[in-house]
């Protein structure tokens, strides 16, 4: 059997497809952006039909660029934007409404109402998540309430609900399979991560009929085969994981204590805690890292809302740089005697603060402050926020011998200055891999290992290659002083309680 694997990476702003060869190297890529819909303030939607079209188009493009046909592909792996939800007709496959995206805040009033009823501990206890519009459950509830006739149709079993992976599996298999994997299920707010099953009590609270929901499988499992008409031959779908978990797998973070941090628009950090389902006391999320051969591996997750977006603000907002890659060079020229702090709460603060009402602030400005100091403050804010996450994770979990291996990916990691400053603020080494396509690689590995054409986890881990390790060189006294200044800036920024 051929060792080629096709990875579908269905993201928030674009869909990508990558063909990997037998040596796990990318040999063909297709990418297509799609429309972002903002029907009201705080609302974000996608057209599921446009997503579907983009996925099929990019798969065909990737196959062509790789010089392969569907017959050469051993398996497909799917990774996807998490939490974004679709409801569609079981018979026709047509969506009843646009997909509601993970960034969408329309269910904030429902979340507030449930909190007021004292229900957040129940949801957190079962799902590891917080009552926040970010997650899928309240989005499904909103659609059932607001789309005419949807609830009755759902109760009659006429409608199906799922995250983007489920919708794609349904379409790719011609409606033969309604399935998801444990990582995507764990982000819905209605899935018990201890029992590994949909939770009847939580479904009842949100009034979601269980008949709508997909079968939950391991991350590496049989998810049906694609219809022959799509790509010219049937291809088995053998791997599925949400994007951040797929990146964790792609970074070969298979051992407890290993942590990956993805620096894109925001930052998502996931710490592998093994079989230990850690209950966070510091407002982190307890989630499923992956489930393989029936065995669940858990993780602590922290989300930073603004990482690369701070660099975009430098470029597009205050226009102190023309290109994002100029930020590191500019930051290196900053005056070391100035302590300028940017708290980038442009859309609130994520973990461990979870303050939706906080807004961005800059501290320490002098008459001598200029573009270089702004650039340094923006990049340092990413390092400080990561340190806050790491400190919270260490408070929650005492495993891993106190040593954390941090593997990084995402657009920001190309900046040597930023990665060095990250290592300095964390007081820990930061590993940048040679292959930065870690999300797609994780999905590809799930499918390839299941198909028997790629190595198992242990060998795959050995294939992980280091581009560069950044080691801390900052004086401890300087690090301590800088962190003190950061914490003071955050304290001033948080919404008064």
């Amino acid at each position: 059997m051929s060792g080629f694997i096709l990875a579908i990476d269905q993201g928030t702003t674009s869909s990508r497809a990558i063909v990997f060869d037998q040596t796990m190297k990318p040999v063909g890529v297709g990418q297509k952006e799609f429309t972002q819909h903002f029907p009201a303030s705080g609302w974000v939607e996608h057209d599921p039909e446009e997503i579907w079209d983009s996925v099929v188009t990019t798969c065909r493009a990737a196959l062509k660029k790789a010089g392969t046909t569907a017959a050469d592909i051993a398996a497909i792996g799917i990774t996807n934007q998490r939490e974004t939800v679709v409801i569609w007709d079981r018979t026709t496959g047509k969506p009843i409404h646009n997909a509601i995206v993970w960034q969408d805040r329309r269910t904030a009033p429902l979340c507030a109402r449930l909190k007021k009823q004292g229900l957040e501990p129940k949801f957190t206890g079962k799902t590891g998540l917080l009552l926040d519009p970010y997650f899928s459950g309240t989005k499904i509830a909103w659609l059932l309430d607001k789309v005419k006739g949807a609830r009755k149709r759902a109760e009659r079993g006429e409608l199906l609900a799922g995250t983007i992976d489920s919708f794609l599996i349904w379409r790719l298999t011609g409606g033969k399979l309604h399935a998801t994997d444990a990582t995507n299920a764990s982000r819905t707010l209605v899935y018990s991560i201890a029992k590994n099953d949909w939770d009847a009590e939580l479904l009842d609270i949100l009034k979601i009929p269980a008949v709508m929901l997909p079968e939950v499988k391991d991350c590496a499992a049989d998810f049906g085969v694609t219809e022959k008409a799509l790509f010219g031959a049937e291809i088995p779908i053998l791997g599925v994981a949400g994007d951040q978990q797929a990146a964790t797998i792609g970074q070969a973070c298979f051992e407890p204590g290993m942590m990956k941090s993805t620096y894109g628009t925001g930052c998502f950090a996931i710490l592998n805690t093994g079989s230990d389902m850690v209950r966070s006391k510091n407002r982190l999320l307890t989630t499923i890292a992956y489930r393989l051969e029936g065995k669940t591996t858990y993780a602590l997750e922290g989300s930073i809302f603004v990482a690369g977006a701070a660099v975009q603000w430098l470029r597009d907002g205050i226009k102190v740089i023309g290109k994002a890659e100029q930020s590191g060079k500019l930051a290196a020229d900053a005056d070391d005697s100035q302590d300028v702090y940017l708290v980038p709460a442009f859309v609130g603060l994520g973990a461990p603060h979870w303050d939706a009402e906080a807004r961005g602030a800059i501290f320490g400005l002098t008459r001598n402050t200029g573009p270089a100091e702004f650039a340094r403050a923006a990049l340092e804010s990413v390092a400080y926020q990561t340190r806050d996450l790491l400190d919270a994770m260490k408070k929650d979990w005492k495993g891993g011998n106190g040593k954390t291996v941090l593997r990084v990916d995402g657009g920001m990691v190309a900046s040597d200055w930023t990665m060095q400053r990250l290592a300095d603020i964390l007081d820990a080494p930061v590993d940048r891999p040679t292959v930065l396509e870690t999300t797609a690689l994780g999905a590809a590995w799930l499918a390839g290992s299941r198909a028997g054409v790629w190595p198992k986890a242990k060998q795959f881990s050995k294939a992980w290659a280091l581009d560069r390790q950044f080691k801390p060189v900052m004086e401890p006294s300087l690090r301590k002083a800088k962190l003190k200044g950061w914490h003071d800036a955050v304290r001033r920024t948080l919404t008064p309680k």
Side-chain angles (χ1 to χ4, degrees):
M1 184 187 286
S2 162
F4 288 102
I5 300 295
L6 175 61
I8 296 171
D9 182 356
Q10 203 299 296
T12 307
T13 57
S14 70
S15 296
R16 304 170 76 239
I18 302 177
V19 175
F20 290 87
D21 68 11
Q22 297 91 333
T23 65
M24 301 184 286
K25 297 286 190 296
V27 291
V29 181
Q31 181 164 355
K32 188 176 183 183
E33 292 189 357
F34 52 85
T35 313
Q36 307 293 307
H37 299 273
F38 308 102
S41 177
W43 294 26
V44 190
E45 295 180 359
H46 293 156
D47 177 354
E49 296 292 356
E50 191 180 4
I51 286 178
W52 168 245
D53 176 68
S54 70
V55 167
V56 174
T57 301
T58 53
C59 285
R60 289 171 178 165
L63 289 169
K64 188 175 180 180
K65 286 178 183 175
T68 56
T69 68
D72 299 316
I73 305 298
I76 286 175
I78 298 174
T79 183
N80 56 289
Q81 50 168 319
R82 303 176 303 172
E83 295 97 15
T84 298
V85 78
V86 187
I87 296 181
W88 66 96
D89 184 293
R90 181 190 289 270
T91 306
T92 67
K94 287 197 172 358
I96 66 165
H97 189 277
N98 274 349
I100 301 183
V101 180
W102 60 273
Q103 299 154 316
D104 189 282
R105 308 300 293 175
R106 76 186 66 186
T107 63
L110 173 56
C111 292
R113 198 158 63 244
L114 294 169
K115 283 182 188 176
K116 202 171 180 181
Q117 292 169 18
L119 290 170
E120 185 165 57
K122 186 183 290 290
F123 277 91
T124 301
K126 294 185 175 197
T127 69
L129 310 177
L130 302 171
L131 265 177
D132 190 273
Y134 178 27
F135 306 109
S136 314
T138 58
K139 301 180 196 295
I140 297 173
W142 187 94
L143 287 166
L144 292 177
D145 284 337
K146 301 298 183 182
V147 177
K148 190 176 179 182
R151 184 168 295 287
K152 285 185 178 177
R153 292 184 66 201
E155 288 167 354
R156 290 197 299 265
E158 296 173 14
L159 300 180
L160 299 176
T163 41
I164 294 294
D165 58 301
S166 297
F167 178 66
L168 293 179
I169 291 165
W170 180 264
R171 283 287 179 94
L172 287 165
T173 62
K176 292 184 178 68
L177 192 68
H178 186 35
T180 188
D181 84 293
T183 68
N184 277 297
S186 76
R187 313 297 294 187
T188 59
L189 205 60
V190 288
Y191 188 76
S192 167
I193 60 172
K195 295 178 181 176
N196 263 291
D197 202 1
W198 301 114
D199 190 276
E201 186 181 14
L202 300 182
L203 289 171
D204 188 53
I205 291 169
L206 292 177
K207 299 183 176 63
I208 298 172
V211 70
M212 301 180 76
L213 299 175
E215 176 190 356
V216 182
K217 293 174 173 272
D218 284 355
C219 300
D222 296 325
F223 291 91
V225 297
T226 64
E227 286 195 297
K228 184 179 178 182
L230 287 172
F231 308 117
E234 293 182 344
I235 308 173
I237 305 166
L238 298 181
V240 178
D243 55 7
Q244 301 309 319
Q245 282 91 340
T248 304
I249 294 164
Q251 288 277 33
C253 289
F254 292 121
E255 297 298 322
M258 296 184 78
M259 176 179 170
K260 78 91 203 172
S261 202
T262 300
Y263 295 95
T265 304
C267 162
F268 295 89
I270 291 184
L271 173 70
N272 183 328
T273 61
S275 58
D276 193 359
M277 189 171 63
V278 179
R279 299 295 186 182
S280 178
K281 295 180 176 66
N282 294 280
R283 307 284 283 170
L284 299 174
L285 305 176
T286 307
T287 199
I288 293 176
Y290 48 84
R291 196 176 85 194
L292 297 172
E293 297 178 352
K295 184 185 175 187
T296 302
T297 296
Y298 294 98
L300 282 171
E301 178 176 330
S303 309
I304 297 168
F305 295 153
V306 173
V311 178
Q312 292 167 347
W313 174 74
L314 290 175
R315 184 191 65 198
D316 305 332
I318 59 174
K319 297 181 171 28
V320 297
I321 55 173
K323 294 179 180 177
E325 52 267 29
Q326 294 170 341
S327 57
K329 187 175 184 301
L330 189 59
D333 293 335
D335 179 1
D336 285 336
S337 69
Q338 292 191 55
D339 292 319
V340 180
Y341 293 92
L342 167 67
V343 183
F346 302 136
V347 289
L349 284 171
H353 309 289
W354 292 100
D355 186 343
E357 304 305 318
R359 288 297 174 262
I362 298 176
F363 300 91
L365 299 180
T366 70
R367 285 285 299 273
N368 208 28
T369 302
E373 288 72 37
F374 273 85
R376 187 181 66 184
L379 296 180
E380 283 187 333
S381 74
V382 177
Y384 291 133
Q385 289 180 97
T386 306
R387 174 66 187 248
D388 287 349
L389 285 184
L390 188 57
D391 286 348
M393 287 173 170
K394 285 180 175 177
K395 284 178 193 170
D396 278 333
W397 188 63
K398 305 302 180 190
N401 304 317
K403 292 181 180 177
T404 300
V405 175
L406 177 62
R407 293 181 171 176
V408 295
D409 53 65
M412 289 191 83
V413 307
S415 166
D416 288 354
W417 189 92
T418 307
M419 292 302 99
Q420 183 57 55
R421 188 51 53 105
L422 180 62
D424 285 338
I425 296 300
L426 295 181
D427 192 20
V430 171
D431 291 352
R432 183 172 65 194
T434 53
V435 178
L436 296 177
E437 295 282 6
T438 54
T439 305
L441 180 62
W445 177 78
L446 289 169
S449 61
R450 175 77 180 180
V453 297
W454 279 22
K456 295 298 183 186
K458 196 171 182 181
Q459 287 301 115
F460 178 68
S461 297
K462 288 179 182 176
W464 185 91
L466 180 72
D467 168 52
R468 179 174 170 183
Q469 182 176 73
F470 297 85
K471 295 179 179 177
V473 294
M474 184 179 281
E475 287 293 324
S477 58
L478 178 58
R479 180 186 303 112
K480 186 177 179 181
K482 289 177 85 64
L483 284 167
K484 184 181 178 184
W486 165 255
H487 292 139
D488 181 56
V490 170
R491 180 184 58 78
R492 296 176 190 218
T493 306
L494 291 169
T495 308
K497 297 298 182 196

